[in-house]
Amino acid sequence: MQKMKTSLAASALAMSLALAIPAHADAGKAALVQEAPLRAHLSFLASDLLEGRGTGQRGGDLTVAYLEAQAMALGLKPGNGDSFRQSVRIAGVKTLPAESTLRLEAGGKPLDIAFGKDWVFAPGDATAAHDFNAELVFVGYGITAPDEQWNDFKGVDLKGKVLVMMVNDPQPTAEQPNRFNGKGLTYYGRWTYKFEEAQRQGAAGVLLIHTTPTASYGWSVIQNSWSGVERFQLAAGTLGTPLQGWITDDTARALFTAAGQDLDALRAAAEKKDFKPVPLAARLNGEMKAAVRKVEQFNVAAVVPGTDPKLKDEVVIYSAHWDHLGKQGDTGDTIFNGAVDNASGSAALLAMAEQARKAPAKRSQMFLWVAAEEQGLLGSAAYASSPLWPMAKTAANLNLDSLNFVGATRDIGAQGSERTELGKLAETAAKGMGLQIAAAKPDLAGGYFRSDHFNFAKNGVPAFSITSGRDYIKDPAGAKAKAEAYGKRYHQVSDEYDPGWDLSGMVQTAQYTLNLGRLIADGAKLPEWKAGDAFAVPRN
């Protein structure tokens, strides 16, 4: 049986290497990603020894030490002066509902609602205690979008108020079928944007109205993420509003009715540009308490210097998040190993760096493993706020997250590249490997805004995440079923490494990313955003 597994692995590797050599390249100089080191890194990073690589946990510290040691062994240069580490200061926040007296009041009476079942809340500013006596104001979608000529606030002073918002975007109409990207979600529709905008408005807090269609997931997802668990946020820089939270649709209806308002009528009004904030005859009162602790995590950054005397001052950044969910619970299997998500991307970066070191490009190349992605892209946000390489000289960011563990494909996922000049380069890299760019799907859940590349995009750097193709070469139906079955293992303890995995597709994705990065690193100029894109701003 072991001999058979070895033979299959060798066959898969041979196929992936054949696919990997660009048609225009000198095979003797091509940097070919090897399966053996990728598999070795993957199996270790996903092992129980690293305890699920949890933020603020021992396993996370061990992971950083491993990545640092491997970067040294590969002969990579430190990305932060003489260190491979970049500090990411994080606050762990756990709401204490039993010690809190927070309540929603309307019509002079408190609503009969329970934490977890009807609403959730937490401090957004890493502060353990807050007192509230604040008016509630309905602000529709809570969006300020100059590119859409949309402003839900209309200059109204909302300082010290608690803003009640809808999630998602204003919906397309017959007259404007493409407003806010039509059926696709824009960043304005993401809950993270809503919290950021409330802070910019000087609000005391924000409560998002949950519905399954607008959030793209059920209330149980909110409960699991906010009830009885520690949540993380950056502990330095621009912090959030004192209160962040969600309420169920039923709670919102009860609140608006008690405040003398018709929620459905206000929702309809919020679909129009002339909507203005509506004060509610309701308040948030009482004290909110939370347990807060400060922890230091680390991004790991390693560099292959460029060979061109001038272009070496510019960089292509390959990124992947090293963290997962760590250890949770007291009984049974308590380790969320995160083999696919994202030991796969972290292992791929190590295998790619090994080859990049052997064949440097004109521009420098950085391999960046970021912390706390699972907690809200915190590591990449910390990097973007204090970049180790000037954003103005960062050519692109290519991100890897949850790679193909099923088998090689005839296509590759490059959705998001079309926003920039990277789109043409992505097609060139694919053609060089005999691949097609996978057909784009409507981004209904806002996937472009949910991976670490987005923090680079927000700062003007062309960026996207490279994903698996879907046109499997071997046993297409069976391979597709395996890939779809992963959905049940996502963010579960069952996301474990299997030594029987065919990693030819993972090697293929890593090779494609390295090839694309090489095209960028050797290009005549820095790629730019397409005119009119929401992120077409100068690199900060």
Side-chain angles (χ1 to χ4, degrees):
M1 180 62 72
Q2 183 60 43
K3 184 179 291 186
M4 182 179 294
K5 287 184 178 179
T6 302
S7 177
L8 288 172
S11 298
L13 177 58
M15 178 172 63
S16 69
L17 293 182
L19 288 168
I21 302 175
H24 60 275
D26 180 344
K29 296 181 180 179
L32 299 179
V33 176
Q34 302 297 307
E35 178 182 329
L38 195 160
R39 185 180 289 275
H41 295 310
L42 172 60
S43 64
F44 183 75
L45 288 167
S47 70
D48 283 357
L49 288 172
L50 294 191
E51 300 174 348
R53 309 184 306 280
T55 297
Q57 296 183 10
R58 175 177 177 271
D61 295 339
L62 293 173
T63 302
V64 168
Y66 178 77
L67 294 171
E68 183 179 45
Q70 292 300 316
M72 291 180 186
L74 291 175
L76 306 177
K77 301 297 183 183
N80 187 15
D82 60 358
S83 176
F84 289 96
R85 300 188 181 202
Q86 180 188 33
S87 177
V88 181
R89 297 191 179 278
I90 294 175
V93 177
K94 184 176 181 180
T95 303
L96 303 174
E99 298 180 26
S100 301
T101 60
L102 209 59
R103 60 194 179 277
L104 290 175
E105 298 176 350
K109 297 180 181 179
L111 268 64
D112 184 16
I113 55 177
F115 183 88
K117 175 178 175 291
D118 303 302
W119 70 327
V120 293
F121 50 80
D125 59 357
T127 301
H130 283 292
D131 286 304
F132 293 93
N133 180 13
E135 178 185 3
L136 270 59
V137 181
F138 177 66
V139 294
Y141 284 102
I143 291 174
T144 300
D147 51 312
E148 293 281 351
Q149 295 81 53
W150 193 280
N151 186 344
D152 281 325
F153 303 101
K154 304 294 190 298
V156 175
D157 184 2
L158 296 167
K159 291 182 175 62
K161 312 292 187 183
V162 172
L163 310 185
V164 183
M165 297 184 188
M166 299 152 60
V167 292
N168 216 293
D169 300 311
Q171 298 302 292
T173 65
E175 296 77 20
Q176 294 181 293
N178 295 316
R179 76 173 186 176
F180 286 93
N181 198 32
K183 292 183 179 180
L185 188 72
T186 74
Y187 185 56
Y188 300 117
R190 286 280 293 151
W191 60 268
T192 49
Y193 168 83
K194 313 290 185 179
F195 288 160
E196 291 168 2
E197 188 59 41
Q199 188 275 333
R200 286 190 285 268
Q201 295 294 326
V206 54
L207 291 171
L208 304 180
I209 302 173
H210 173 271
T211 71
T212 297
T214 57
S216 80
Y217 40 76
W219 180 251
S220 62
V221 174
I222 304 296
Q223 285 179 304
N224 293 338
S225 300
W226 290 69
S227 301
V229 297
E230 186 177 36
R231 302 177 68 251
F232 292 88
Q233 55 194 243
L234 291 179
T238 301
L239 303 181
T241 56
L243 177 131
Q244 296 175 345
W246 293 72
I247 56 176
T248 65
D249 187 58
D250 286 344
T251 300
R253 290 185 179 280
L255 172 65
F256 279 60
T257 298
Q261 297 285 350
D262 184 330
L263 177 58
D264 290 330
L266 290 180
R267 278 177 165 151
E271 295 292 339
K272 300 177 182 179
K273 282 187 177 182
D274 61 359
F275 170 83
K276 295 181 180 180
V278 178
L280 302 175
R283 305 187 73 83
L284 178 76
N285 270 308
E287 184 179 25
M288 175 179 63
K289 287 191 175 183
V292 177
R293 69 179 178 117
K294 304 292 178 67
V295 296
E296 184 179 28
Q297 299 291 267
F298 296 95
N299 296 330
V300 178
V303 174
V304 175
T307 59
D308 186 274
K310 293 184 178 179
L311 296 182
K312 68 180 182 180
D313 290 337
E314 298 172 349
V315 71
V316 174
I317 297 180
Y318 309 93
S319 61
H321 73 89
W322 59 254
D323 66 303
H324 196 54
L325 304 182
K327 293 182 70 174
Q328 299 182 26
D330 300 316
T331 59
D333 186 353
T334 62
I335 297 176
F336 288 73
N337 300 79
V340 174
D341 182 17
N342 186 32
S344 64
S346 295
L349 253 60
L350 284 169
M352 290 161 56
E354 181 176 355
Q355 299 308 315
R357 173 69 176 81
K358 297 175 182 177
K362 292 181 180 179
R363 289 184 174 84
S364 297
Q365 298 172 85
M366 178 185 290
F367 296 84
L368 178 65
W369 293 267
V370 293
E373 184 271 353
E374 301 289 3
Q375 308 302 327
L377 315 184
L378 300 185
S380 57
Y383 179 93
S385 66
S386 300
L388 301 179
W389 207 287
M391 289 292 191
K393 293 188 175 183
T394 300
N397 169 238
L398 305 178
N399 187 60
L400 293 175
D401 193 344
S402 299
L403 302 192
N404 175 5
F405 64 95
V406 176
T409 60
R410 297 181 179 87
D411 58 353
I412 195 76
Q415 192 158 351
S417 66
E418 73 283 353
R419 292 172 171 265
T420 71
E421 292 175 347
L422 294 180
K424 291 295 184 182
L425 293 173
E427 292 176 1
T428 299
K431 184 177 180 180
M433 293 177 64
L435 299 172
Q436 298 289 325
I437 297 295
K441 294 182 177 180
D443 194 3
L444 301 180
Y448 184 77
F449 318 111
R450 297 167 66 176
S451 288
D452 286 303
H453 69 260
F454 182 57
N455 280 316
F456 289 88
K458 286 199 294 184
N459 286 274
V461 175
F464 73 103
S465 289
I466 294 159
T467 57
S468 170
R470 298 184 290 271
D471 184 7
Y472 295 98
I473 295 173
K474 291 183 178 180
D475 184 20
K480 183 178 180 181
K482 286 181 182 178
E484 292 177 348
Y486 173 69
K488 295 182 179 179
R489 302 203 305 277
Y490 174 71
H491 280 202
Q492 304 299 318
V493 295
S494 52
D495 183 5
E496 298 180 317
Y497 168 69
D498 183 345
W501 279 346
D502 175 355
L503 296 191
S504 59
M506 197 174 295
V507 173
Q508 181 184 54
T509 303
Q511 186 68 59
Y512 173 80
T513 306
L514 190 59
N515 289 353
L516 174 56
R518 184 62 181 257
L519 287 177
I520 300 167
D522 286 341
K525 68 181 188 68
L526 299 183
E528 299 294 343
W529 290 85
K530 289 185 178 179
D533 192 278
F535 303 106
V537 297
R539 292 171 173 85
N540 291 339

